[in-house]
């Protein structure tokens, strides 16, 4: 099994930046595709970004392209999401997810493991 722990959330003003992190344990980071999803109160979970094991492929939701960047440090078993130019509509709980196939994917059903989430609040 894989355990995922998100950190780095907080409160930011509109236009600000924040980086959230996800640390994996319980299994080697090797071959894990990683993704970020988010869920706002009363709304469905939505895809944000994903990255393959080799970092050769990345995927972004249209709503965050040009503002968010996903990256990973395999030596540290950690994936990051750098969020810039934040907007109130970015407010949500951000979840890290992992799949052992290693490809990364925008589809939530492709992910077998999930973290507990970290809260981001963007004020006007």
């Amino acid at each position: 099994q894989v355990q995922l722990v998100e950190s780095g959330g907080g409160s930011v003003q509109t236009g600000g930046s924040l980086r959230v992190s996800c640390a994996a344990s319980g299994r080697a980071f090797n071959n894990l595709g990683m993704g970020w999803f988010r869920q706002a109160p009363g709304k469905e979970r939505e895809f944000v970004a994903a990255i393959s094991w080799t970092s050769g492929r990345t995927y972004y939701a249209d709503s965050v392209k040009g503002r968010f960047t996903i990256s990973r440090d395999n030596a540290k078993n950690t994936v990051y999401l750098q969020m810039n130019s934040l907007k109130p509509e970015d407010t949500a709980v951000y979840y890290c997810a992992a799949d052992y196939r290693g490809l990364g994917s925008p589809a939530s059903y492709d992910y077998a493991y999930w973290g507990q989430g970290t809260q981001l609040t963007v004020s006007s």
Side-chain angles (χ1 to χ4, degrees):
Q1 63 181 31
V2 176
Q3 292 82 44
L4 304 173
V5 180
E6 302 94 336
S7 62
S11 298
V12 184
Q13 293 182 326
T14 297
S17 298
L18 197 70
R19 187 179 75 165
V20 291
S21 302
C22 174
S25 63
R27 172 194 273 264
F29 208 49
N30 299 271
N31 299 320
L32 292 178
M34 303 296 297
W36 286 98
F37 296 78
R38 67 187 182 187
Q39 187 168 23
K43 297 184 178 180
E44 297 179 354
R45 179 178 57 190
E46 66 176 357
F47 168 75
V48 177
I51 188 167
S52 65
W53 153 245
T54 63
S55 299
R57 292 185 177 184
T58 57
Y59 305 87
Y60 295 95
D62 289 341
S63 60
V64 306
K65 284 182 179 178
R67 300 189 298 121
F68 291 11
T69 302
I70 188 171
S71 62
R72 65 192 297 162
D73 186 338
N74 291 345
K76 297 180 179 179
N77 292 346
T78 302
V79 64
Y80 306 95
L81 185 68
Q82 177 67 47
M83 300 179 284
N84 300 326
S85 302
L86 286 165
K87 307 173 181 179
E89 51 262 46
D90 295 319
T91 295
V93 176
Y94 283 72
Y95 296 94
C96 178
D99 89 282
Y100 56 81
R101 296 181 300 174
L103 297 179
S105 171
S108 62
Y109 54 74
D110 284 335
Y111 293 87
Y113 309 103
W114 295 82
Q116 295 300 307
T118 187
Q119 176 72 47
L120 170 66
T121 301
V122 184
S123 61
S124 300

